[in-house]
Amino acid sequence: RCGYGSSAAFNRAFAQSYGLPPGEFRRRQDASISAPPCPDRPHDEDTTMYEVKITQLPSVSVAALRHHGAYHDIGRTFERLGAWAAGRGLAQSRSFGLYYDDPESKSENELLSDACVETPEDLALDALDAPVRRVTIEGGRYAVLVHVGPYAELERPYRWLFGEWLPSSGEEASDAPVIEEYLNDPRMLPPTEWRTAICVPLRGS
């Protein structure tokens, strides 16, 4: 009712204004805490809007290398996969990340993800390629948001996409993993120009 996009955004604004979170404020109702002046506008983070497109994506055949642990550490797994791909002549292939778990509901050591590069469907993998394995990224309906900027800033569009856009869109996320496609080469560009497509699988035809 106050106009904030999520309870988390309201809690941050409340704490910044009153110096304590809403729960603590309720517990100290007998204390004299004067209300601050109403801010002219919400914090920029809470008014950020992104463009989301619902589109049909095709299936993609990839070689995948499993990553266990914090998603922000997957870069090291991509480096290992990149070395493997270069040896196979796949250095210029499209690259993807598959993220299977909600980092808000599981501890870091429980998180599973895959670093992936696109491969020809007829490329054979054998025992010498292990632990790289063949995976098919399933096609279907996806909500796609393209973020421009460092990978370290991806938390913000994710929070907006799942916390604000999805609940109000009438859509429902499926149980398939969230996909990130890295649309340009981070080795060739500054972080401010990195482009990442966040692809959320949707239920329905």
Side-chain angles (χ1 to χ4, degrees):
R1 290 198 299 270
C2 294
Y4 289 90
S6 67
S7 59
F10 171 79
N11 290 345
R12 286 195 301 273
F14 189 99
Q16 289 170 359
S17 297
Y18 286 88
L20 69 171
E24 179 64 18
F25 182 88
R26 285 194 298 270
R27 286 190 291 272
R28 295 171 54 180
Q29 288 182 6
D30 57 335
S32 176
I33 304 176
S34 54
C38 182
D40 294 333
R41 60 184 178 86
H43 191 277
D44 288 343
E45 177 181 341
D46 301 319
T47 60
T48 299
M49 299 292 289
Y50 300 90
E51 181 180 2
V52 178
K53 294 183 178 180
I54 297 177
T55 187
Q56 192 82 17
L57 297 181
S59 298
V60 183
S61 177
V62 298
L65 185 59
R66 177 56 50 92
H67 175 75
H68 297 267
Y71 288 158
H72 58 75
D73 290 333
I74 197 173
R76 289 176 290 185
T77 304
F78 269 106
E79 290 174 3
R80 292 168 53 206
L81 183 64
W84 175 90
R88 284 282 197 157
L90 302 170
Q92 303 304 313
S93 298
R94 296 163 69 193
S95 61
F96 303 85
L98 303 183
Y99 299 92
Y100 295 93
D101 302 304
D102 177 4
E104 298 294 327
S105 61
K106 288 192 174 183
S107 63
E108 287 188 350
N109 60 3
E110 295 179 298
L111 298 177
L112 295 179
S113 53
D114 282 323
C116 307
V117 292
E118 185 176 18
T119 59
E121 291 187 4
D122 59 356
L123 178 67
L125 300 182
D126 55 37
L128 295 177
D129 292 303
V132 176
R133 69 193 197 285
R134 169 82 65 192
V135 170
T136 297
I137 299 176
E138 297 296 336
R141 291 177 69 246
Y142 284 83
V144 180
L145 180 159
V146 176
H147 171 73
V148 180
Y151 300 144
E153 294 180 356
L154 284 168
E155 181 183 354
R156 181 181 296 183
Y158 266 104
R159 189 165 56 236
W160 180 85
L161 187 58
F162 281 95
E164 300 189 30
W165 181 84
L166 191 61
S168 63
S169 68
E171 298 286 349
E172 184 180 357
S174 76
D175 295 330
V178 172
I179 302 165
E180 290 178 6
E181 180 176 4
Y182 309 102
L183 301 175
N184 48 22
D185 188 343
R187 297 168 298 181
M188 306 298 293
L189 296 166
T192 53
E193 297 181 26
W194 295 353
R195 299 178 71 245
T196 306
I198 302 172
C199 308
V200 178
L202 301 174
R203 295 189 185 278
S205 58

